[in-house]
Structures are given as C-alpha cells and as structure tokens.
Amino acid sequence: MRPSAQVAVVVPTPAHSELHGPLTYTHDAPLPPGTLVRVPLGRRTVLGIVWDHAPAAPGAATLRAIDEVWSPLPPLDAAWRALVAFAARYYQRSLGEVALAALPPALRTLDAEALARRLARTPSPSGPTAHEAPPALTADQTQALQAIESATRPVLLFGATGSGKTEVYLQAAARTLARDPLAQVLVLVPEINLTPQLLARFQARFGASVVALHSGLTPAQRLRHWLAAHMGQARIVLGTRTAVWASLPRLRLIVVDEEHDPSYKSQEGARYSARDLAVVRAHHLAAAGCRVVLGSATPALETWHAAEQGRYQRIELPVRMGGAHWPALRLVDLRQQPRDTLLAPPLRAALQARLARGEQALLLLNRRGYAPVIACGDCGWKSGCPHCSAYLVYHKRERALRCHHCGHAQPVPRACPTCGNVDLAPLGRGTEQLEEHVVQALAELRRPDGGPVRVGRLDADTARGVGALEQTLAAVHRGELDVLVGTQMVAKGHDFRRITLVAAINPDGALYASDWRAPERLFALLLQAAGRAGRDAAFTAAQGAQPELWVQTSQPDHPLFAALARHDYPGFAAQQLQERRAAGMPPFAHQALLRAEARQLEVALAWLQHAAACADDLPGRPQVTLYAPVPMTLTRVAGVERAQLLLESGSRAALQALLAAWLPHLHALRRTPAGRGVLRWAIDVDPLGY
C-alpha cells in the first residue's frame, strides 16, 4: 500500500540547530502523537517521536516514509510532550535536541526487534508491597502532610535539618498511592551520593515498585528502569535531575529534596533547571491532582521569595526529631592563631574530647586534592595547566598534578621547570592534606575500646571507584570511622547518628568571591553541614554532649555567622533579598547569558559584539539591558577561550521575546565572516554563575 498520511516527527538535532520543529514523513495511516518511530535522516536511520501536528508539505511526493513504528510501546503522553515543548521554548533550544536527549541513550540504539525482546522481559505492573511500618508522625509532620494533600499551589516544605522531612515525603507518597492504585510518584535528589540512602528508605517502605534513574547506572539499567516507569510497573521513581524527564503517565506527586542545590541546574545541553521544570510539570498535571513539594532547610532565595509573595505555600517543620538540640556555633578567629594553622588548638582539643568519648566528627573542606597548586619560592613559578587558565592541583598519593577542568594530568616535576630549584612547596590545603594532618594529630589518641582513631575521606577522588561511596558511608553508619573528612558531598542529606561535632576548616573564600550568590551558598552549606551533628537525641543525651558546629574564620564578625549562630534562615534571607532588590538582581530581575567559544579570545568577543548589535531592533529590546561582552571568569578550558554577554530585564516576558527573536539572527551571524573561528555558542537562561 502506498503511504498516504503525513506525520510530523521530531528527530534528534545538534545543539542550537536551526531545525526547531518536527519534520514531515509519510505512513500508511495516521499515528498517535507520542509514538516512537525510526525514520531515515540523511544516510542514517534515527529514533523519532511523532508530534502533535504535521506541517504543510507541498512536495509530498518527495517525502520519505517512516521505517518502523514501535506500536508495542505506549505513546509518550501529552503532559510529557508539553513539558518538552515548554523547555525547548523557555531555554531557547530546538525541540529535537530536548525531546530525544530526554530519552535513555540505550533506547535510541534499538530497533523494533530488540525493543520487543526488551518488553518481553518487562514484568506486568504491580502495586507497592508494604514492608517497613511507618512511624507515628509528630504534630508538625501531620499538619504538613495535610497541607500537602489539600494544596493548590507548589508547596515549600521549610524544615530544619533533622526535622523529619523525609518521613513526610514517604507518607505523602503512601497516601498518593493509596488514593489511586495506578498513581506514580517522582522524587528528585540533587546528587548521586544521596540516592543510595534515600532509595533504601523508599524500598524498605514500598518494595520493588521503586526504581532509580541517574547517570551512575549502566545504559542497560537506565533503559530497564525507564521502561518500568513508562509502562507503569514502577510506582516511585527516585533520581537526580535527569529523572525530571522520566515518562510517568500517572504522575500524581513530585518531590524535590534539597531544592536549593545548584546541582539541579544543568551546565550543558539545554541548561535546564530540574527544580523549575518539576514545578512546570506539576502545573501541567494540576487538573489530574498532581502536587509538587520543594523541601529544604535553606531554600533558594528565588523559592523563598515566591513563598513570600504567596505563589508558593510555605509549610514549616521547625523542630528537630526526638528533641534533638541545635548544634551550637563555635567560631575560631584565625587572626588569633599561628599562621598557616590547619586545625586550631581549640578545635583540636574539642575533637580529641569527642573522639575519646566514642563520638564521631565530620570535617568539611570544600577543596579536593592535597593542595590547589605547587610553587617555586625562588622564581615564583606555579603549576599552571597548559590548556586552561587554572592551576594543576597536587594529588600527593598519586604524585601527580591534575586539572579539575580539562582532566590533564602530569607527574610532579622534580625541580622547578623555570629555574631548576628542587624545593617546590604546596600552597593551600585540600581534603587529602587535611586527612593526613588529622591522622598525624590524633595518632596518640585512643577510643574508649583502646583502639586508634580511624579517619576516612569522602570526595570526588575517593568516591570514583565502583561502590566506594556506599562503602565509606556504610563505615560511618556502622561506627567503623571516627572522623570523616570531605567536601560538600558529606554535608547534604546524610543521616549520621553518632556525629556530634562538625567543623568547617576554611570557608572564608566564599565571603570574598565575585559570585553574588556565594553568601547564599555558604550559609546553606554551613547550615546543612551543621545538620549532620546531633541527629540522634538519645545518643547525644547519653554522652552528655551538646552538638557543635565549629567554623575557622578570619571574619568572625561577619553578619552571616551571626545569622548562622541563631539558625535564622528567614533573617538571613530577608537581608539577602533586601540587597538583591537594591541591586536589581534575581529574583527581582531575570537574566540570560550568551556564551561563545573560540581558539582566540578576540574572536569570541568580536562575535558577541556583533550579536549584541543584531539585537537592537528586536521585540522586547527596550526593556532588556545588554552588557558588554567580557571573558568568563575561567577564560580558557581545554585550549578553548570563552567569553559571554549578559542580558538582564525586569520583565521575563520581554527577555523571552528578545531571545526568541534573536535566535535566527545568531544562526545567520554564525555563517558570516564574523562567525569564522567561533567553535560553539550557547544561550543560558536563568544562569547560576557567570
């Protein structure tokens, strides 16, 4: 039979492709929107998605036919397609780039026969099996749960660290599934290292109906879990930011845990915010009764402001579970300590006292490696990366210098490459050096059972091996480590029961950073870190110990520490929002960046200058400020020079109108002599950093 129906199909497109909409193919019958198909594209056959309408195609005789229709797989539903379409419009990307990137990579490589074999191994949908009995809720948790069930707006669950937010998530999920036997729940966490602990709690409560979706899975695992969600077998999907794209045809509850975390903002591809898309997705499903809960002890200021304006409903859990006490803040003034002090004597004494009683401690230093740089004291040479405008980090155990931006690695030189001096010294501190120092400082100390103090480290280096992260966390929970040294990955979400002392070794860098979000991030990091201490009220009481947060700082009088001592996030947020309002910064303005990359910085800057000129007469331009192009803070990465142009407006609509009208001009500019030498360009809407 000759193909007779025209079908719109979205196909994969490269970043910032000029092909924004679907292509037209033919088939012997119309196909439901959302159907997955394989179609010819150039000389290849690619996976495509049937979209909602077919554009007019006057030369129908030249159209190509669809090769395969994956009819055994249910179509991607209208709500999923609406989310993809919104993301493509808002983040100024092509529909094909967003839609196909949202599918599991392994799915794109299958044909109809391979898909049939996969589906034959997919079990039939089944309801959650109750395992662990839920505990009784506190009065605050009960009120929070009732408010979530009756909410008509996004809910901000503003809960203190250790206040039982996770139990609220669990019981909200249980009630959602009890109301609708086919309902599904999506739970987002910011980082993979938080997934195992939370996944274990959900599986203990709901059994095999829970699956994980994150980049740490193998391609086959990701495909299996995605299919389970799409087919309705998985009732609860727990994952990192990419899980926001999961196909969940009966989605009724979305939870975004630690919603303030910048990891929810992608820094590549469409540069989307999973937290913001979760709110949009729930809005699209509001008529079906879908609710979204954003949980945090330190909400993003944009979220807090939305709650202050009434756009979000704020629910509070102000009290820690079990009567646990707040950690007391202890500030160590480094100006009164010997120069180059790593562990000040008062902190060392407090640490020794805790460990001698059988308690645990956590030391936070947000810089991995042994030292950020090695240097020559004679000529001033420093270990710079040959490919980036950054230093090579010294990793002592490997005897290597590594760039944390491009991955370049080289052995530590035996002598200065410039003057031949053999006395090269590390400058600054990293977690590897802190671990070594703690081991030496506590070598003579004994635990109550007479054994030596055991020190572990958790950062991106030690967590690289398969299972290494889980093994380290399990060792802390079993009491097999007494001191855990780590970067910010140890400060978020972990339920350590015997840690009573947390210390931030040197957080002052954020107080001087050029990033205007740095104070917000530092306050969140320190308050989250403090929340790891004293979580088990019974253990702390039995020890007769008050949990403590120690901070070594040269600025003990900084207002941030005064708010931290009071555990006063609302006061801190009010002060920060007042400053941002006065400066016209988000959330009181809306921003986007146009970035360009080239081998020569001048080429990137010149292209951005031409791009700014193209915007002069476009819709929304009078309400949008375009700043002069400048090099990025980290200008060169992997031999590529990077520059950017900032756009800012008090009107989100005006900014979006300008960006949408600007895109065709940017594509055209890329093909002019001004675009020669430009390797890549990208638009970043709602950027988190410059």
Side-chain angles (χ1 to χ4, degrees):
M1 180 184 295
R2 182 178 179 84
S4 58
Q6 294 185 11
V7 181
V9 179
V10 171
V11 297
T13 55
H16 282 296
S17 168
E18 293 187 71
L19 178 62
H20 274 258
L23 298 178
T24 304
Y25 289 85
T26 60
H27 192 58
D28 53 14
L31 294 173
T35 301
L36 290 174
V37 294
R38 291 196 70 82
V39 296
L41 183 65
R43 297 182 179 180
R44 301 176 296 147
T45 299
V46 300
L47 182 65
I49 306 171
V50 176
W51 218 248
D52 295 78
H53 64 279
T62 65
L63 296 179
R64 305 174 76 177
I66 291 173
D67 285 345
E68 293 179 356
V69 177
W70 289 4
S71 51
L73 198 66
L76 296 159
D77 65 16
W80 187 91
R81 300 195 305 275
L83 177 71
V84 167
F86 170 85
R89 289 193 308 272
Y90 185 77
Y91 295 108
Q92 305 299 326
R93 316 299 283 209
S94 70
L95 195 57
E97 180 188 354
V98 177
L100 275 298
L103 300 178
L107 186 66
R108 301 172 223 161
T109 64
L110 300 180
D111 56 22
E113 184 178 344
L115 175 67
R117 289 196 301 268
R118 290 276 185 179
L119 293 178
R121 298 197 296 266
T122 302
S124 300
S126 60
T129 303
H131 287 232
E132 176 187 87
L137 296 176
T138 65
D140 288 336
Q141 288 176 315
T142 300
Q143 291 178 4
L145 199 56
Q146 292 170 347
I148 291 170
E149 289 192 300
S150 61
T152 57
R153 296 168 287 167
V155 171
L156 169 59
L157 184 59
F158 174 46
T161 54
S163 62
K165 293 187 294 295
T166 301
E167 187 57 41
V168 173
Y169 304 155
L170 287 162
Q171 298 210 24
R175 294 192 182 189
T176 299
L177 300 182
R179 279 195 305 271
D180 181 350
L182 298 179
Q184 293 175 299
V185 176
L186 174 63
V187 181
L188 299 179
V189 294
E191 296 182 7
I192 293 176
N193 75 85
L194 295 179
T195 307
Q197 181 174 308
L198 196 58
L199 181 64
R201 291 196 63 179
F202 270 85
Q203 288 178 334
R205 195 70 60 87
F206 300 104
S209 64
V210 184
V211 299
L213 276 178
H214 55 74
S215 59
L217 301 174
T218 66
Q221 289 173 324
R222 290 177 69 179
L223 176 57
R224 184 169 66 251
H225 293 181
W226 185 90
L227 286 173
H230 180 65
M231 303 293 287
Q233 175 202 2
R235 296 300 165 76
I236 299 177
V237 171
L238 190 150
T240 50
R241 66 169 178 260
T242 56
V244 77
W245 302 111
S247 174
L248 295 158
R250 298 282 295 186
L251 182 60
R252 295 297 180 264
L253 174 66
I254 305 175
V255 173
V256 184
D257 192 26
E258 309 293 358
E259 64 84 30
H260 65 279
D261 198 289
S263 299
Y264 283 122
K265 181 73 158 70
S266 173
Q267 297 304 317
E268 56 188 22
R271 290 169 171 81
Y272 62 90
S273 165
R275 178 198 64 204
D276 295 346
L277 288 182
V279 173
V280 171
R281 190 167 189 179
H283 175 73
H284 289 162
L285 290 166
C290 185
R291 297 173 177 83
V292 60
V293 179
L294 312 177
S296 179
T298 53
L301 289 179
E302 289 83 356
T303 304
W304 186 263
H305 180 62
E308 293 282 279
Q309 288 188 313
R311 290 188 287 118
Y312 292 179
Q313 179 180 352
R314 187 169 72 217
I315 304 169
E316 299 191 11
L317 295 176
V319 180
R320 302 189 93 187
M321 294 291 292
H325 294 290
W326 291 103
L329 179 64
R330 308 283 187 239
L331 296 175
V332 177
D333 189 347
L334 289 179
R335 297 171 300 180
Q336 308 300 321
Q337 303 298 324
R339 188 177 180 181
D340 295 330
T341 294
L342 188 52
L343 281 182
L347 173 57
R348 182 182 302 184
L351 184 61
Q352 290 172 335
R354 300 276 177 172
L355 299 176
R357 295 198 298 263
E359 300 167 25
Q360 293 174 311
L362 186 154
L363 304 183
L364 174 67
L365 179 59
N366 206 19
R367 177 172 285 161
R368 61 189 175 100
Y370 190 87
V373 63
I374 60 171
C376 173
D378 287 355
C379 70
W381 172 87
K382 293 183 177 67
S383 55
C385 176
H387 310 297
C388 304
S389 50
Y391 291 119
L392 295 174
V393 178
Y394 175 37
H395 291 259
K396 185 176 181 180
R397 291 185 183 177
E398 304 172 30
R399 290 293 300 168
L401 297 172
R402 293 188 177 277
C403 179
H404 291 175
H405 302 283
C406 73
H408 172 79
Q410 66 186 52
V412 177
R414 296 182 179 274
C416 174
T418 302
C419 70
N421 174 30
V422 297
D423 189 17
L424 300 178
L427 298 181
R429 282 75 178 265
T431 50
E432 187 181 355
Q433 184 178 165
L434 177 59
E435 178 191 25
E436 177 185 273
H437 181 83
V438 171
V439 169
Q440 295 171 355
L442 303 177
E444 303 300 322
L445 186 67
R446 291 294 178 265
R447 306 192 314 271
D449 62 4
V453 171
R454 300 154 300 184
V455 181
R457 174 163 56 98
L458 187 58
D459 54 29
D461 297 321
T462 62
R464 189 176 297 127
V466 177
L469 169 67
E470 292 81 358
Q471 291 173 8
T472 302
L473 293 175
V476 177
H477 289 299
R478 291 193 302 263
E480 296 171 1
L481 286 178
D482 303 300
V483 180
L484 181 62
V485 174
T487 54
Q488 62 180 355
M489 64 165 43
V490 304
K492 305 172 185 177
H494 301 294
D495 189 19
F496 300 131
R497 310 303 294 175
R498 296 175 58 196
I499 286 180
T500 59
L501 182 147
V502 173
I505 301 306
N506 187 15
D508 282 1
L511 299 177
Y512 311 117
S514 58
D515 182 0
W516 50 273
R517 294 184 188 270
E520 175 188 3
R521 291 175 178 166
L522 177 60
F523 188 89
L525 178 62
L526 293 178
L527 196 62
Q528 293 285 339
R532 302 317 107 203
R535 296 177 74 88
D536 190 331
F539 175 77
T540 305
Q543 296 294 110
Q546 164 75 21
E548 293 177 333
L549 169 66
W550 287 72
V551 178
Q552 294 188 159
T553 174
S554 298
Q555 300 290 325
D557 298 324
H558 195 283
L560 183 147
F561 295 125
L564 185 64
R566 301 189 303 268
H567 301 276
D568 183 15
Y569 175 82
F572 172 78
Q575 176 262 330
Q576 286 289 302
L577 287 172
Q578 183 179 3
E579 291 182 6
R580 292 192 187 183
R581 185 190 297 273
M585 304 295 281
F588 303 101
H590 309 283
Q591 296 179 336
L593 287 172
L594 175 62
R595 293 192 170 111
E597 299 181 359
R599 295 294 178 186
Q600 293 81 37
L601 181 60
E602 295 75 14
V603 172
L605 289 170
W607 188 81
L608 290 173
Q609 196 68 56
H610 282 92
C614 291
D616 284 345
D617 299 321
L618 297 181
R621 179 63 181 88
Q623 296 172 266
V624 179
T625 300
L626 274 69
Y627 293 90
V630 295
M632 292 180 63
T633 304
L634 184 62
T635 307
R636 188 174 74 256
V637 173
V640 175
E641 304 287 344
R642 311 185 306 163
Q644 63 188 15
L645 182 156
L646 175 66
L647 300 89
E648 191 172 70
S649 176
S651 166
R652 191 189 301 274
L655 179 60
Q656 282 287 314
L658 175 61
L659 292 175
W662 204 19
L663 271 181
H665 295 272
L666 296 177
H667 285 298
L669 183 63
R670 182 74 169 76
R671 297 189 296 268
T672 67
R676 291 174 185 167
V678 175
L679 302 176
R680 288 176 295 273
W681 62 274
I683 290 176
D684 186 357
V685 180
D686 300 332
L688 290 187
Y690 303 160

